Amino acid sequence: MPHLTAPADARRTAGGEQLGFGVPGYAHPLLAPAEWAGLARPGTPLHWAVLNIADGPGSRPDPHCLEAAGRLHNARERALHGGSPDDTVRASGGRLLGHLDLAHGERPFEELIADARSFIDWYRIGGFYLARCPTERAGLPAVRRLTGTLHALLPESDSADDGGRLVLGHGTHPYPGYAEAADQLVTFQGPWTDYRWSQVAEWTADYPPERFAHFVHGVPRTHLEEAMRIARWQGAGTIFFTDRDDRSGQSDPFATLPRYWDEIVSRIGPGISE
């Protein structure tokens, strides 16, 4: 059993909060067609998926990415406006997020905004995933400036139906002030060997589970239930668990489906649109 330090309020999430998936970024749709097609499958509990062509939007619209983006956009439209009598059998309500690499605060503001405009113009994205986001207090003003500008830009995209969604990809617990700069924070990204003994920052208990996401690789099938229990206990509402790892030449363990994808989908349950 993992050693967890969680305040009492955080333990309320251990009782069955609805988990959903955040996909940090599959490989190109030509290389991962099954992965992209599966995201729009009815009942998939998808919160969001990240589109990353070349550490950003690329230099021009990619027809294969346009097709994948359109499929996910249509699935969200069906989920929100399809009129199905039973939410539990509706299509995925997930958003498509554009990948912006902050390079730990080193990328110029103007470059990031240019990439954001390309994502909006070409792919009708519903938000942004800010990868390699700074974690220290000193980086917060620049991140707040960026997220404020992105929120102002997102209404130009017809997929940002309620102002869009911004996710900060810290990968660890940042300075608490970042929680007020975006809609969701990734507070864990790493291997199962670390996750099962991880501890949650006490300040996260002031926020609901939908404000936090955990990405864990190398999770054995036999430990899926334990991994989901840790996520709930630590107050994370969005997850991506995979048995893939970063060994054996696999540079990005999150770029493809876990071998137990259908099983973890069934364990979480059918998707309900946000």
Side-chain angles (χ1 to χ4, degrees), residues 5-17:
T5 301
D9 287 348
R11 294 173 189 158
R12 289 200 301 261
T13 65
E17 291 282 351

Side-chain angles (χ1 to χ4, degrees), residues 167-168 170 174 176 178-179 182-187 203 211-214:
V167 180
L168 302 184
H170 302 288
Y178 282 94
D183 300 293
Q184 191 173 57
L185 313 181
V186 179
T187 53
W203 62 263
R211 300 298 304 279
F212 302 104
H214 292 171

Side-chain angles (χ1 to χ4, degrees), residues 24-27 52 189 217 242 244-246 249-256:
Y26 283 147
N52 182 13
Q189 179 167 339
H217 60 78
T242 179
R244 314 287 181 175
D245 55 42
D246 55 1
Q250 178 71 50
S251 59
D252 182 2
F254 301 111
T256 188

Side-chain angles (χ1 to χ4, degrees), residues 146-167:
L146 176 62
T147 57
T149 304
L150 293 175
H151 267 307
L153 288 175
L154 277 166
E156 299 176 17
S157 173
D158 62 1
S159 290
D161 42 74
D162 59 356
R165 188 166 191 82
L166 299 181
V167 180

Side-chain angles (χ1 to χ4, degrees), residues 26-43:
Y26 283 147
H28 189 278
L30 271 179
L31 301 176
E35 282 79 350
W36 283 100
L39 294 181
R41 193 170 68 184

Side-chain angles (χ1 to χ4, degrees), residues 52-66:
N52 182 13
I53 292 88
D55 286 328
S59 58
R60 63 183 62 85
D62 182 301
H64 303 286
C65 293
L66 285 169

